[in-house]
PDB file of all heavy atoms in Angstrom:
ATOM      1  N   GLU B 291      14.321  41.863  40.277  1.00  0.00           N
ATOM      2  CA  GLU B 291      13.442  42.760  39.577  1.00  0.00           C
ATOM      3  C   GLU B 291      13.410  42.548  38.100  1.00  0.00           C
ATOM      4  O   GLU B 291      12.347  42.655  37.513  1.00  0.00           O
ATOM      5  CB  GLU B 291      13.993  44.221  39.828  1.00  0.00           C
ATOM      6  CG  GLU B 291      13.668  44.737  41.246  1.00  0.00           C
ATOM      7  CD  GLU B 291      14.414  45.961  41.575  1.00  0.00           C
ATOM      8  OE1 GLU B 291      14.955  46.678  40.653  1.00  0.00           O
ATOM      9  OE2 GLU B 291      14.497  46.291  42.832  1.00  0.00           O
ATOM     10  N   TRP B 292      14.488  42.162  37.505  1.00  0.00           N
ATOM     11  CA  TRP B 292      14.547  41.875  36.068  1.00  0.00           C
ATOM     12  C   TRP B 292      13.698  40.615  35.744  1.00  0.00           C
ATOM     13  O   TRP B 292      13.058  40.561  34.731  1.00  0.00           O
ATOM     14  CB  TRP B 292      16.032  41.728  35.616  1.00  0.00           C
ATOM     15  CG  TRP B 292      16.269  41.511  34.152  1.00  0.00           C
ATOM     16  CD1 TRP B 292      17.071  40.504  33.638  1.00  0.00           C
ATOM     17  CD2 TRP B 292      15.699  42.124  32.982  1.00  0.00           C
ATOM     18  NE1 TRP B 292      17.007  40.509  32.309  1.00  0.00           N
ATOM     19  CE2 TRP B 292      16.169  41.540  31.918  1.00  0.00           C
ATOM     20  CE3 TRP B 292      14.779  43.160  32.914  1.00  0.00           C
ATOM     21  CZ2 TRP B 292      15.851  41.917  30.607  1.00  0.00           C
ATOM     22  CZ3 TRP B 292      14.405  43.604  31.611  1.00  0.00           C
ATOM     23  CH2 TRP B 292      14.922  42.956  30.499  1.00  0.00           C
ATOM     24  N   ALA B 293      13.855  39.577  36.592  1.00  0.00           N
ATOM     25  CA  ALA B 293      13.027  38.414  36.356  1.00  0.00           C
ATOM     26  C   ALA B 293      11.550  38.707  36.429  1.00  0.00           C
ATOM     27  O   ALA B 293      10.789  38.280  35.605  1.00  0.00           O
ATOM     28  CB  ALA B 293      13.387  37.415  37.415  1.00  0.00           C
ATOM     29  N   GLU B 294      11.199  39.455  37.411  1.00  0.00           N
ATOM     30  CA  GLU B 294       9.801  39.846  37.593  1.00  0.00           C
ATOM     31  C   GLU B 294       9.341  40.676  36.358  1.00  0.00           C
ATOM     32  O   GLU B 294       8.220  40.455  35.836  1.00  0.00           O
ATOM     33  CB  GLU B 294       9.721  40.689  38.903  1.00  0.00           C
ATOM     34  CG  GLU B 294       8.483  40.383  39.715  1.00  0.00           C
ATOM     35  CD  GLU B 294       8.599  41.146  40.992  1.00  0.00           C
ATOM     36  OE1 GLU B 294       9.674  41.754  41.373  1.00  0.00           O
ATOM     37  OE2 GLU B 294       7.570  41.240  41.674  1.00  0.00           O
ATOM     38  N   ARG B 295      10.159  41.624  35.969  1.00  0.00           N
ATOM     39  CA  ARG B 295       9.784  42.441  34.847  1.00  0.00           C
ATOM     40  C   ARG B 295       9.677  41.683  33.499  1.00  0.00           C
ATOM     41  O   ARG B 295       8.766  41.846  32.691  1.00  0.00           O
ATOM     42  CB  ARG B 295      10.833  43.607  34.700  1.00  0.00           C
ATOM     43  CG  ARG B 295      10.461  44.555  33.612  1.00  0.00           C
ATOM     44  CD  ARG B 295      11.140  45.927  33.781  1.00  0.00           C
ATOM     45  NE  ARG B 295      10.772  46.751  32.676  1.00  0.00           N
ATOM     46  CZ  ARG B 295      11.681  47.506  32.008  1.00  0.00           C
ATOM     47  NH1 ARG B 295      12.952  47.548  32.406  1.00  0.00           N
ATOM     48  NH2 ARG B 295      11.214  48.240  30.985  1.00  0.00           N
ATOM     49  N   GLY B 296      10.592  40.708  33.396  1.00  0.00           N
ATOM     50  CA  GLY B 296      10.629  39.846  32.239  1.00  0.00           C
ATOM     51  C   GLY B 296       9.275  39.021  32.081  1.00  0.00           C
ATOM     52  O   GLY B 296       8.743  38.950  31.036  1.00  0.00           O
ATOM     53  N   GLN B 297       8.867  38.568  33.210  1.00  0.00           N
ATOM     54  CA  GLN B 297       7.534  37.861  33.199  1.00  0.00           C
ATOM     55  C   GLN B 297       6.418  38.735  32.817  1.00  0.00           C
ATOM     56  O   GLN B 297       5.557  38.427  31.964  1.00  0.00           O
ATOM     57  CB  GLN B 297       7.306  37.260  34.619  1.00  0.00           C
ATOM     58  CG  GLN B 297       5.869  36.693  34.746  1.00  0.00           C
ATOM     59  CD  GLN B 297       5.669  35.906  36.049  1.00  0.00           C
ATOM     60  OE1 GLN B 297       6.515  35.102  36.422  1.00  0.00           O
ATOM     61  NE2 GLN B 297       4.526  36.100  36.681  1.00  0.00           N
ATOM     62  N   VAL B 298       6.437  39.946  33.374  1.00  0.00           N
ATOM     63  CA  VAL B 298       5.354  40.964  33.048  1.00  0.00           C
ATOM     64  C   VAL B 298       5.369  41.316  31.568  1.00  0.00           C
ATOM     65  O   VAL B 298       4.353  41.357  30.880  1.00  0.00           O
ATOM     66  CB  VAL B 298       5.418  42.222  33.901  1.00  0.00           C
ATOM     67  CG1 VAL B 298       4.484  43.272  33.409  1.00  0.00           C
ATOM     68  CG2 VAL B 298       5.160  41.864  35.393  1.00  0.00           C
ATOM     69  N   LEU B 299       6.606  41.450  31.000  1.00  0.00           N
ATOM     70  CA  LEU B 299       6.727  41.810  29.587  1.00  0.00           C
ATOM     71  C   LEU B 299       6.363  40.685  28.690  1.00  0.00           C
ATOM     72  O   LEU B 299       6.094  40.873  27.477  1.00  0.00           O
ATOM     73  CB  LEU B 299       8.148  42.269  29.265  1.00  0.00           C
ATOM     74  CG  LEU B 299       8.502  43.676  29.847  1.00  0.00           C
ATOM     75  CD1 LEU B 299      10.014  43.843  29.670  1.00  0.00           C
ATOM     76  CD2 LEU B 299       7.832  44.740  29.116  1.00  0.00           C
ATOM     77  N   GLY B 300       6.249  39.432  29.181  1.00  0.00           N
ATOM     78  CA  GLY B 300       5.802  38.276  28.355  1.00  0.00           C
ATOM     79  C   GLY B 300       6.734  37.157  28.236  1.00  0.00           C
ATOM     80  O   GLY B 300       6.468  36.226  27.290  1.00  0.00           O
ATOM     81  N   ALA B 301       7.772  37.085  28.932  1.00  0.00           N
ATOM     82  CA  ALA B 301       8.619  35.902  28.865  1.00  0.00           C
ATOM     83  C   ALA B 301       7.860  34.668  29.272  1.00  0.00           C
ATOM     84  O   ALA B 301       7.070  34.745  30.202  1.00  0.00           O
ATOM     85  CB  ALA B 301       9.947  36.051  29.682  1.00  0.00           C
ATOM     86  N   GLY B 302       8.109  33.551  28.625  1.00  0.00           N
ATOM     87  CA  GLY B 302       7.400  32.343  28.979  1.00  0.00           C
ATOM     88  C   GLY B 302       8.168  31.452  29.943  1.00  0.00           C
ATOM     89  O   GLY B 302       7.569  30.500  30.447  1.00  0.00           O
ATOM     90  N   GLU B 303       9.355  31.735  30.066  1.00  0.00           N
ATOM     91  CA  GLU B 303      10.262  30.867  30.928  1.00  0.00           C
ATOM     92  C   GLU B 303      11.469  31.726  31.297  1.00  0.00           C
ATOM     93  O   GLU B 303      11.872  32.610  30.614  1.00  0.00           O
ATOM     94  CB  GLU B 303      10.692  29.665  30.099  1.00  0.00           C
ATOM     95  CG  GLU B 303      11.092  28.519  30.868  1.00  0.00           C
ATOM     96  CD  GLU B 303      11.265  27.258  30.041  1.00  0.00           C
ATOM     97  OE1 GLU B 303      11.327  27.387  28.717  1.00  0.00           O
ATOM     98  OE2 GLU B 303      11.389  26.233  30.446  1.00  0.00           O
ATOM     99  N   ILE B 304      12.131  31.308  32.457  1.00  0.00           N
ATOM    100  CA  ILE B 304      13.342  32.011  32.808  1.00  0.00           C
ATOM    101  C   ILE B 304      14.495  30.987  32.979  1.00  0.00           C
ATOM    102  O   ILE B 304      14.251  29.958  33.646  1.00  0.00           O
ATOM    103  CB  ILE B 304      13.219  32.845  34.141  1.00  0.00           C
ATOM    104  CG1 ILE B 304      12.375  34.085  33.787  1.00  0.00           C
ATOM    105  CG2 ILE B 304      14.552  33.159  34.781  1.00  0.00           C
ATOM    106  CD1 ILE B 304      12.132  35.058  34.852  1.00  0.00           C
ATOM    107  N   LEU B 305      15.633  31.239  32.361  1.00  0.00           N
ATOM    108  CA  LEU B 305      16.826  30.497  32.437  1.00  0.00           C
ATOM    109  C   LEU B 305      17.698  31.225  33.395  1.00  0.00           C
ATOM    110  O   LEU B 305      18.296  32.272  32.929  1.00  0.00           O
ATOM    111  CB  LEU B 305      17.484  30.237  31.130  1.00  0.00           C
ATOM    112  CG  LEU B 305      18.909  29.593  31.132  1.00  0.00           C
ATOM    113  CD1 LEU B 305      18.960  28.268  31.988  1.00  0.00           C
ATOM    114  CD2 LEU B 305      19.411  29.422  29.763  1.00  0.00           C
ATOM    115  N   LEU B 306      17.893  30.770  34.579  1.00  0.00           N
ATOM    116  CA  LEU B 306      18.728  31.464  35.608  1.00  0.00           C
ATOM    117  C   LEU B 306      20.056  30.806  35.723  1.00  0.00           C
ATOM    118  O   LEU B 306      20.209  29.678  36.207  1.00  0.00           O
ATOM    119  CB  LEU B 306      17.987  31.441  36.957  1.00  0.00           C
ATOM    120  CG  LEU B 306      18.728  32.124  38.202  1.00  0.00           C
ATOM    121  CD1 LEU B 306      18.812  33.666  37.873  1.00  0.00           C
ATOM    122  CD2 LEU B 306      18.035  31.830  39.440  1.00  0.00           C
ATOM    123  N   ASN B 307      21.085  31.531  35.177  1.00  0.00           N
ATOM    124  CA  ASN B 307      22.362  30.892  35.166  1.00  0.00           C
ATOM    125  C   ASN B 307      23.275  31.639  36.180  1.00  0.00           C
ATOM    126  O   ASN B 307      23.495  32.850  36.039  1.00  0.00           O
ATOM    127  CB  ASN B 307      23.031  31.017  33.683  1.00  0.00           C
ATOM    128  CG  ASN B 307      24.342  30.317  33.585  1.00  0.00           C
ATOM    129  OD1 ASN B 307      24.595  29.374  34.310  1.00  0.00           O
ATOM    130  ND2 ASN B 307      25.138  30.813  32.771  1.00  0.00           N
ATOM    131  N   SER B 308      23.808  30.911  37.100  1.00  0.00           N
ATOM    132  CA  SER B 308      24.639  31.560  38.154  1.00  0.00           C
ATOM    133  C   SER B 308      26.050  31.645  37.590  1.00  0.00           C
ATOM    134  O   SER B 308      26.725  30.610  37.373  1.00  0.00           O
ATOM    135  CB  SER B 308      24.636  30.797  39.435  1.00  0.00           C
ATOM    136  OG  SER B 308      25.685  31.105  40.220  1.00  0.00           O
ATOM    137  N   MET B 309      26.586  32.821  37.338  1.00  0.00           N
ATOM    138  CA  MET B 309      27.905  32.973  36.836  1.00  0.00           C
ATOM    139  C   MET B 309      28.955  32.677  37.948  1.00  0.00           C
ATOM    140  O   MET B 309      30.076  32.312  37.652  1.00  0.00           O
ATOM    141  CB  MET B 309      28.170  34.378  36.316  1.00  0.00           C
ATOM    142  CG  MET B 309      27.214  34.863  35.211  1.00  0.00           C
ATOM    143  SD  MET B 309      26.937  33.563  33.907  1.00  0.00           S
ATOM    144  CE  MET B 309      28.544  33.566  33.105  1.00  0.00           C
ATOM    145  N   ASP B 310      28.516  32.820  39.225  1.00  0.00           N
ATOM    146  CA  ASP B 310      29.502  32.468  40.321  1.00  0.00           C
ATOM    147  C   ASP B 310      29.661  30.927  40.446  1.00  0.00           C
ATOM    148  O   ASP B 310      30.706  30.455  40.646  1.00  0.00           O
ATOM    149  CB  ASP B 310      28.916  32.955  41.664  1.00  0.00           C
ATOM    150  CG  ASP B 310      28.825  34.463  41.689  1.00  0.00           C
ATOM    151  OD1 ASP B 310      29.693  35.151  41.237  1.00  0.00           O
ATOM    152  OD2 ASP B 310      27.782  35.003  42.194  1.00  0.00           O
ATOM    153  N   ALA B 311      28.569  30.220  40.275  1.00  0.00           N
ATOM    154  CA  ALA B 311      28.516  28.755  40.423  1.00  0.00           C
ATOM    155  C   ALA B 311      29.031  28.070  39.127  1.00  0.00           C
ATOM    156  O   ALA B 311      29.573  26.974  39.192  1.00  0.00           O
ATOM    157  CB  ALA B 311      27.159  28.241  40.834  1.00  0.00           C
ATOM    158  N   ASP B 312      28.835  28.712  37.972  1.00  0.00           N
ATOM    159  CA  ASP B 312      29.209  28.126  36.687  1.00  0.00           C
ATOM    160  C   ASP B 312      30.602  27.584  36.675  1.00  0.00           C
ATOM    161  O   ASP B 312      31.565  28.263  36.906  1.00  0.00           O
ATOM    162  CB  ASP B 312      28.943  29.179  35.600  1.00  0.00           C
ATOM    163  CG  ASP B 312      28.937  28.485  34.209  1.00  0.00           C
ATOM    164  OD1 ASP B 312      28.322  27.393  34.193  1.00  0.00           O
ATOM    165  OD2 ASP B 312      29.369  29.098  33.275  1.00  0.00           O
ATOM    166  N   GLY B 313      30.738  26.294  36.302  1.00  0.00           N
ATOM    167  CA  GLY B 313      32.035  25.721  36.164  1.00  0.00           C
ATOM    168  C   GLY B 313      32.619  25.214  37.447  1.00  0.00           C
ATOM    169  O   GLY B 313      33.703  24.553  37.464  1.00  0.00           O
ATOM    170  N   THR B 314      32.010  25.491  38.630  1.00  0.00           N
ATOM    171  CA  THR B 314      32.572  25.151  39.871  1.00  0.00           C
ATOM    172  C   THR B 314      32.308  23.645  40.194  1.00  0.00           C
ATOM    173  O   THR B 314      33.043  23.007  40.980  1.00  0.00           O
ATOM    174  CB  THR B 314      32.124  25.926  41.026  1.00  0.00           C
ATOM    175  OG1 THR B 314      30.702  25.725  41.227  1.00  0.00           O
ATOM    176  CG2 THR B 314      32.342  27.447  40.811  1.00  0.00           C
ATOM    177  N   THR B 315      31.244  23.096  39.642  1.00  0.00           N
ATOM    178  CA  THR B 315      30.707  21.777  40.015  1.00  0.00           C
ATOM    179  C   THR B 315      30.481  21.641  41.537  1.00  0.00           C
ATOM    180  O   THR B 315      30.466  20.560  42.086  1.00  0.00           O
ATOM    181  CB  THR B 315      31.620  20.581  39.537  1.00  0.00           C
ATOM    182  OG1 THR B 315      32.884  20.572  40.176  1.00  0.00           O
ATOM    183  CG2 THR B 315      31.836  20.644  38.014  1.00  0.00           C
ATOM    184  N   SER B 316      30.255  22.710  42.242  1.00  0.00           N
ATOM    185  CA  SER B 316      30.033  22.672  43.699  1.00  0.00           C
ATOM    186  C   SER B 316      28.587  22.927  44.026  1.00  0.00           C
ATOM    187  O   SER B 316      28.270  23.164  45.229  1.00  0.00           O
ATOM    188  CB  SER B 316      31.020  23.619  44.427  1.00  0.00           C
ATOM    189  OG  SER B 316      30.778  24.885  43.969  1.00  0.00           O
ATOM    190  N   GLY B 317      27.703  22.903  43.070  1.00  0.00           N
ATOM    191  CA  GLY B 317      26.307  23.010  43.398  1.00  0.00           C
ATOM    192  C   GLY B 317      25.685  24.281  42.855  1.00  0.00           C
ATOM    193  O   GLY B 317      26.429  25.327  42.550  1.00  0.00           O
ATOM    194  N   PHE B 318      24.374  24.301  42.597  1.00  0.00           N
ATOM    195  CA  PHE B 318      23.615  25.428  42.200  1.00  0.00           C
ATOM    196  C   PHE B 318      23.653  26.554  43.206  1.00  0.00           C
ATOM    197  O   PHE B 318      23.789  26.263  44.432  1.00  0.00           O
ATOM    198  CB  PHE B 318      22.223  25.100  41.779  1.00  0.00           C
ATOM    199  CG  PHE B 318      22.115  24.134  40.594  1.00  0.00           C
ATOM    200  CD1 PHE B 318      22.183  22.792  40.789  1.00  0.00           C
ATOM    201  CD2 PHE B 318      21.907  24.630  39.295  1.00  0.00           C
ATOM    202  CE1 PHE B 318      22.080  21.930  39.659  1.00  0.00           C
ATOM    203  CE2 PHE B 318      21.757  23.816  38.237  1.00  0.00           C
ATOM    204  CZ  PHE B 318      21.804  22.448  38.375  1.00  0.00           C
ATOM    205  N   ASP B 319      23.330  27.802  42.841  1.00  0.00           N
ATOM    206  CA  ASP B 319      23.211  28.878  43.785  1.00  0.00           C
ATOM    207  C   ASP B 319      21.712  28.831  44.277  1.00  0.00           C
ATOM    208  O   ASP B 319      20.767  29.311  43.693  1.00  0.00           O
ATOM    209  CB  ASP B 319      23.498  30.153  43.134  1.00  0.00           C
ATOM    210  CG  ASP B 319      23.490  31.331  44.172  1.00  0.00           C
ATOM    211  OD1 ASP B 319      22.837  31.289  45.244  1.00  0.00           O
ATOM    212  OD2 ASP B 319      24.157  32.361  43.962  1.00  0.00           O
ATOM    213  N   LEU B 320      21.491  28.019  45.352  1.00  0.00           N
ATOM    214  CA  LEU B 320      20.141  27.705  45.776  1.00  0.00           C
ATOM    215  C   LEU B 320      19.347  28.852  46.288  1.00  0.00           C
ATOM    216  O   LEU B 320      18.145  29.040  46.060  1.00  0.00           O
ATOM    217  CB  LEU B 320      20.195  26.609  46.860  1.00  0.00           C
ATOM    218  CG  LEU B 320      20.885  25.320  46.425  1.00  0.00           C
ATOM    219  CD1 LEU B 320      20.834  24.334  47.629  1.00  0.00           C
ATOM    220  CD2 LEU B 320      20.151  24.658  45.287  1.00  0.00           C
ATOM    221  N   ALA B 321      20.105  29.823  46.973  1.00  0.00           N
ATOM    222  CA  ALA B 321      19.417  30.975  47.578  1.00  0.00           C
ATOM    223  C   ALA B 321      18.874  31.841  46.431  1.00  0.00           C
ATOM    224  O   ALA B 321      17.763  32.351  46.433  1.00  0.00           O
ATOM    225  CB  ALA B 321      20.437  31.763  48.362  1.00  0.00           C
TER     226      ALA B 321
END
Side-chain angles (χ1 to χ4, degrees):
Chain B
E291 284 166 19
W292 179 229
E294 222 175 344
R295 184 158 177 227
Q297 170 170 316
V298 170
L299 287 170
E303 201 172 13
I304 284 183
L305 168 58
L306 180 65
N307 187 29
S308 165
M309 302 315 290
D310 297 319
D312 195 34
T314 63
T315 66
S316 58
F318 291 87
D319 189 334
L320 301 177

